[in-house]
Coordinates of all heavy atoms in Angstrom, one line a residue:
F1 N 63.5 47.8 114.9 CA 62.7 47.1 114.1 C 61.7 46.5 114.9 O 61.8 46.1 116.1 CB 63.5 46.0 113.3 CG 64.4 46.4 112.3 CD1 65.8 46.7 112.6 CD2 64.0 46.5 110.8 CE1 66.6 47.1 111.5 CE2 64.9 47.0 109.9 CZ 66.2 47.3 110.2
N2 N 60.5 46.2 114.1 CA 59.4 45.5 114.9 C 59.1 44.3 114.0 O 59.3 44.2 112.8 CB 58.1 46.3 114.9 CG 57.4 46.6 113.7 OD1 57.9 47.4 112.9 ND2 56.2 46.1 113.6
I3 N 58.5 43.3 114.6 CA 58.2 42.0 114.0 C 56.7 41.9 113.5 O 55.8 42.0 114.4 CB 58.4 40.9 115.0 CG1 59.8 40.9 115.6 CG2 58.1 39.4 114.4 CD1 60.9 40.8 114.5
P4 N 56.5 41.9 112.2 CA 55.1 42.0 111.7 C 54.4 40.5 111.5 O 53.4 40.5 111.2 CB 55.2 42.8 110.5 CG 56.6 42.3 110.0 CD 57.4 42.0 111.0
S5 N 55.3 39.4 111.4 CA 54.9 38.1 111.1 C 55.4 37.2 112.1 O 56.3 37.4 112.9 CB 55.3 37.8 109.7 OG 56.6 37.4 109.7
G6 N 54.7 35.9 112.0 CA 55.1 34.8 112.9 C 56.1 33.9 112.4 O 56.2 32.8 112.9
S7 N 56.9 34.2 111.4 CA 57.8 33.2 110.9 C 59.0 32.9 111.7 O 59.6 31.9 111.6 CB 58.5 33.9 109.5 OG 59.3 34.9 109.9
M8 N 59.2 33.7 112.9 CA 60.3 33.4 113.8 C 59.8 32.9 115.2 O 60.4 32.9 116.2 CB 61.2 34.6 114.0 CG 62.2 34.8 112.9 SD 63.3 33.6 112.7 CE 64.4 33.7 114.3
K9 N 58.4 32.7 115.2 CA 57.9 32.1 116.6 C 58.6 30.8 116.8 O 58.9 30.0 115.9 CB 56.4 31.9 116.5 CG 55.7 33.3 116.5 CD 54.1 33.0 116.4 CE 53.4 34.3 116.5 NZ 51.9 34.0 116.5
S10 N 58.9 30.5 118.1 CA 58.5 31.3 119.3 C 59.7 32.3 119.8 O 59.5 32.9 120.7 CB 58.1 30.3 120.4 OG 59.3 29.5 120.8
T11 N 60.8 32.2 118.9 CA 61.9 33.1 119.3 C 61.5 34.6 119.3 O 61.7 35.4 120.2 CB 63.1 32.9 118.3 OG1 63.5 31.5 118.3 CG2 64.3 33.8 118.7
L12 N 60.7 35.0 118.4 CA 60.2 36.4 118.1 C 58.8 36.3 117.9 O 58.4 35.5 117.1 CB 61.0 37.2 117.1 CG 62.5 37.3 117.3 CD1 63.1 37.8 116.0 CD2 62.8 38.3 118.5
L13 N 58.0 37.2 118.5 CA 56.6 37.3 118.3 C 56.2 38.5 117.6 O 56.8 39.5 117.7 CB 55.9 37.1 119.7 CG 56.3 35.9 120.6 CD1 55.6 36.1 122.0 CD2 56.0 34.6 120.0
V14 N 54.9 38.5 116.9 CA 54.4 39.5 116.4 C 54.2 40.6 117.5 O 53.5 40.2 118.5 CB 53.1 39.2 115.7 CG1 52.4 40.4 115.2 CG2 53.2 38.2 114.6
G15 N 54.7 41.7 117.3 CA 54.5 42.8 118.3 C 55.8 42.9 119.1 O 55.9 44.0 119.9
D16 N 56.8 42.3 118.8 CA 58.1 42.5 119.5 C 58.8 43.7 118.7 O 58.8 43.8 117.4 CB 59.0 41.2 119.4 CG 58.7 40.2 120.4 OD1 57.9 40.4 121.2 OD2 59.2 39.0 120.1
Y17 N 59.4 44.5 119.5 CA 60.2 45.6 119.0 C 61.7 45.4 119.4 O 61.9 45.1 120.7 CB 59.8 47.0 119.5 CG 58.4 47.4 119.0 CD1 57.2 46.7 119.3 CD2 58.3 48.4 117.9 CE1 56.0 47.3 118.9 CE2 57.1 48.8 117.4 CZ 56.1 48.2 117.8 OH 54.7 48.6 117.2
L18 N 62.6 45.4 118.5 CA 64.0 45.1 118.9 C 65.0 46.1 118.2 O 64.7 46.7 117.5 CB 64.3 43.5 118.5 CG 63.9 43.1 117.2 CD1 65.0 43.4 116.1 CD2 63.5 41.6 117.1
F19 N 66.3 46.0 118.9 CA 67.3 46.7 118.4 C 68.2 45.8 117.6 O 68.6 44.7 118.1 CB 68.1 47.2 119.6 CG 67.4 48.5 120.1 CD1 67.4 48.6 121.6 CD2 67.1 49.6 119.5 CE1 66.6 49.6 122.2 CE2 66.6 50.7 120.1 CZ 66.4 50.6 121.4
V20 N 68.7 46.2 116.4 CA 69.5 45.5 115.7 C 70.9 46.2 115.6 O 70.9 47.4 115.3 CB 68.9 45.3 114.2 CG1 69.9 44.7 113.2 CG2 67.7 44.5 114.3
S21 N 72.0 45.5 115.9 CA 73.2 46.2 115.9 C 73.7 46.2 114.4 O 73.8 45.3 113.7 CB 74.3 45.3 116.7 OG 74.5 44.2 116.2
K22 N 74.2 47.5 114.0 CA 74.7 47.6 112.5 C 76.2 47.3 112.6 O 76.6 46.8 111.5 CB 74.6 49.2 112.2 CG 73.1 49.7 112.1 CD 72.6 49.1 110.9 CE 71.2 49.7 110.5 NZ 71.5 51.1 109.9
Y23 N 76.9 47.5 113.7 CA 78.4 47.3 113.6 C 78.8 46.0 113.7 O 79.9 45.7 113.3 CB 79.1 48.1 114.9 CG 78.5 47.7 116.2 CD1 79.0 46.5 116.8 CD2 77.3 48.3 116.7 CE1 78.5 46.0 118.0 CE2 76.8 47.9 117.9 CZ 77.5 46.8 118.5 OH 76.8 46.3 119.7
T24 N 77.9 44.9 114.0 CA 78.3 43.6 114.1 C 79.0 43.0 112.9 O 80.1 42.2 112.9 CB 77.2 42.7 114.6 OG1 76.6 43.2 115.8 CG2 77.6 41.3 114.8
Y25 N 78.4 43.2 111.7 CA 78.9 42.7 110.4 C 79.5 43.9 109.4 O 79.7 43.6 108.3 CB 77.7 42.1 109.7 CG 76.9 41.1 110.6 CD1 75.6 41.1 110.7 CD2 77.7 40.0 111.3 CE1 74.9 40.2 111.5 CE2 76.9 39.1 112.0 CZ 75.5 39.2 112.1 OH 74.9 38.3 112.9
G26 N 79.8 45.0 110.1 CA 80.2 46.1 109.1 C 79.1 46.8 108.4 O 77.9 46.6 108.8
Y27 N 79.4 47.4 107.4 CA 78.5 48.5 106.8 C 78.5 48.2 105.3 O 79.4 48.1 104.7 CB 78.7 49.9 107.2 CG 78.9 50.1 108.7 CD1 80.3 50.0 109.4 CD2 77.8 50.3 109.6 CE1 80.3 50.3 110.7 CE2 77.9 50.4 111.0 CZ 79.2 50.4 111.4 OH 79.4 50.5 112.7
S28 N 77.2 48.3 104.8 CA 77.0 48.2 103.3 C 76.1 49.4 103.0 O 75.7 50.2 104.0 CB 76.4 46.9 102.7 OG 75.1 46.8 103.2
R29 N 75.8 49.6 101.7 CA 74.8 50.6 101.5 C 73.5 50.5 102.1 O 72.7 51.5 102.4 CB 74.5 50.6 99.9 CG 74.0 49.3 99.4 CD 73.7 49.4 97.9 NE 72.4 50.3 97.7 CZ 71.7 50.3 96.6 NH1 72.1 49.5 95.6 NH2 70.6 51.1 96.5
Y30 N 73.0 49.2 102.4 CA 71.9 49.0 103.2 C 71.8 49.5 104.6 O 70.8 49.3 105.3 CB 71.5 47.6 103.1 CG 71.1 47.3 101.7 CD1 72.0 46.3 100.9 CD2 70.0 47.8 100.9 CE1 71.7 46.0 99.6 CE2 69.9 47.5 99.6 CZ 70.8 46.6 98.9 OH 70.4 46.2 97.6
S31 N 73.0 49.7 105.2 CA 73.1 50.3 106.5 C 72.7 51.8 106.6 O 72.4 52.3 107.7 CB 74.7 50.2 107.0 OG 75.1 48.8 106.8
M32 N 72.6 52.4 105.5 CA 72.3 53.8 105.4 C 70.8 54.1 105.2 O 70.2 53.3 104.6 CB 73.1 54.5 104.3 CG 74.6 54.1 104.2 SD 75.4 54.8 105.7 CE 77.2 54.2 105.5
P33 N 70.4 55.1 105.9 CA 69.0 55.4 105.5 C 68.7 55.7 104.0 O 69.5 56.4 103.4 CB 68.6 56.8 106.3 CG 69.7 56.8 107.3 CD 70.9 56.0 106.8
L34 N 67.7 55.0 103.5 CA 67.3 55.2 102.1 C 68.3 54.5 101.2 O 68.1 54.4 100.0 CB 67.3 56.6 101.7 CG 66.3 57.6 102.4 CD1 66.3 59.0 101.9 CD2 64.8 57.1 102.3
S35 N 69.3 53.7 101.7 CA 70.3 52.8 101.0 C 70.8 53.5 99.8 O 70.8 53.0 98.6 CB 69.5 51.5 100.6 OG 68.8 51.0 101.7
P36 N 71.4 54.8 99.8 CA 72.1 55.4 98.8 C 73.3 54.5 98.2 O 74.1 54.1 98.9 CB 72.5 56.8 99.4 CG 72.7 56.5 100.7 CD 71.8 55.4 101.1
P37 N 73.3 54.5 96.9 CA 74.5 53.6 96.3 C 75.8 54.4 96.3 O 76.5 54.8 95.4 CB 74.1 53.5 94.9 CG 73.3 54.6 94.6 CD 72.5 55.0 95.9
L38 N 76.2 54.7 97.6 CA 77.5 55.5 97.7 C 78.8 54.6 97.5 O 79.8 55.2 97.1 CB 77.5 56.1 99.1 CG 76.3 57.0 99.5 CD1 76.5 57.5 101.0 CD2 76.4 58.3 98.4
F39 N 78.6 53.4 97.9 CA 79.7 52.4 97.7 C 79.1 51.0 97.5 O 78.0 50.7 97.8 CB 80.7 52.5 99.0 CG 80.1 52.1 100.1 CD1 80.1 50.8 100.7 CD2 79.4 53.2 101.1 CE1 79.6 50.6 102.0 CE2 78.8 52.8 102.1 CZ 78.8 51.7 102.5
S40 N 80.0 50.1 97.1 CA 79.7 48.7 96.9 C 80.5 47.9 98.0 O 81.5 48.3 98.4 CB 80.0 48.2 95.6 OG 81.3 48.4 95.2
G41 N 80.0 46.6 98.2 CA 80.7 45.9 99.2 C 80.4 46.1 100.7 O 79.4 47.0 100.9

C-alpha cells in the first residue's frame, strides 16, 4: 500500500510505501482481490 494523505504523520508520511500483513488477523472477503463475496466473517 502507499500513503496518499497526512492523517498518520509523523508515523507515516505521504509517499511512504509499505507492506501490510494479511495473515495477522486472519482473512475476510476483503483479503481477496476485488473482494468477492465468497464467504462471510
